Amino acid sequence: MTAEGREVIRIGAEAIVSRLTWNGFKLISKYRVPKPYRMPELDRWIRDRRTLHEAKVLHEAKKRDVRCPAVVLIDRSRSEIYMTEIEGKELKKCLGELPVRKVGKLASQLGEMVAKMHISGIAHGDLTTSNIIMDQEGRLYLVDFGLSSFTDEVEDLAVDIHLLDRSLESMHTEVREEFMRSFLKRYSEVAGREFTMKIMRKVKEIRMRGRYVEERRREVRNSYNQ
Ligand SMILES: Nc1ncnc2c1ncn2[C@@H]1O[C@H](COP(=O)(O)OP(=O)(O)O)[C@@H](O)[C@H]1O
Ligand SMILES: [Mg+2]
């Protein structure tokens, strides 16, 4: 693709994400890099499959009216997706600066988006505040569907809510409670009470499992130190 001014914005473990302009459009490219430790054939196959999968889920999410980037082009020879750039800021970077009343509104907006996605059988897979972008008008968008799945497993959907809560817990402790309360209220209105209760029971279970693992780790660490 003939593009101008590529600017790398993230070098991740799996992909290089960059910003570029193409015929006046602001695009984002996500290029899955080859892994030297994999057999070349297998490596190409894995990168191709993940690229196609991410594009497919983005497309499905859009069809369900969930705000996310639009796929513009897939370059299968390079395992690269070109998508529209969402102009805004990662929620992670702006949540701390917002007044509490705005936090509730945003959380409620996100609750609606995630509920729509979940009742359509899509789990995001990495729902943290770095993968949520807020534009100038305060609209939220989901990005990074690299770990997403089509699923009707309660566990997969519950992991989304667990990860969201965890990312608020570690970065935005002061707004976490209000955020999750508004998020779940709207989520429940869209997805239904029964559905939400089922998911929340699983979220609790996942949280307990996490605590248990943490405690076990601490115990093992302490026993080494004795
Ligand atoms: N379409 C997009 N528009 C704007 N920013 C994006 C877009 N896609 C990715 N980003 C930015 O790049 C970052 C990394 O992209 P992401 O798809 O999350 O890659 P990774 O799998 O490495 O986390 C995101 O957190 C976001 O800030
Ligand atoms: Mg990401």
Side-chain angles (χ1 to χ4, degrees), residues 74-92:
I74 307 168
D75 182 349
R76 287 185 69 180
S77 70
R78 278 174 51 84
S79 297
E80 184 166 16
I81 301 180
Y82 292 90
M83 61 187 110
T84 51
E85 179 185 2
I86 310 298
E87 288 183 71
K89 269 188 170 179
E90 289 178 14
L91 194 57
K92 178 181 173 175

Side-chain angles (χ1 to χ4, degrees), residues 9-15 17 19 28 30 54 69 83-87 90 93 126 130-131 133 143-145:
I9 55 176
R10 180 87 43 106
I11 301 180
E14 200 190 1
V17 176
R19 186 183 285 131
I28 292 284
K30 189 164 180 175
E54 184 160 8
M83 61 187 110
T84 51
E85 179 185 2
I86 310 298
E87 288 183 71
E90 289 178 14
K93 295 191 180 135
D126 195 12
S130 333
N131 290 328
I133 305 214
V143 299
D144 193 2
F145 284 74

Side-chain angles (χ1 to χ4, degrees), residues 3 17 19 25 38 72 78 104 108 112 115 138 168 173 187 199 203 210 221:
V17 176
R19 186 183 285 131
F25 289 107
R38 287 198 290 242
V72 175
R78 278 174 51 84
S108 160
E112 178 169 333
L168 292 166
T173 29
Y187 182 98
I199 306 264
V203 172
R221 227 178 287 139

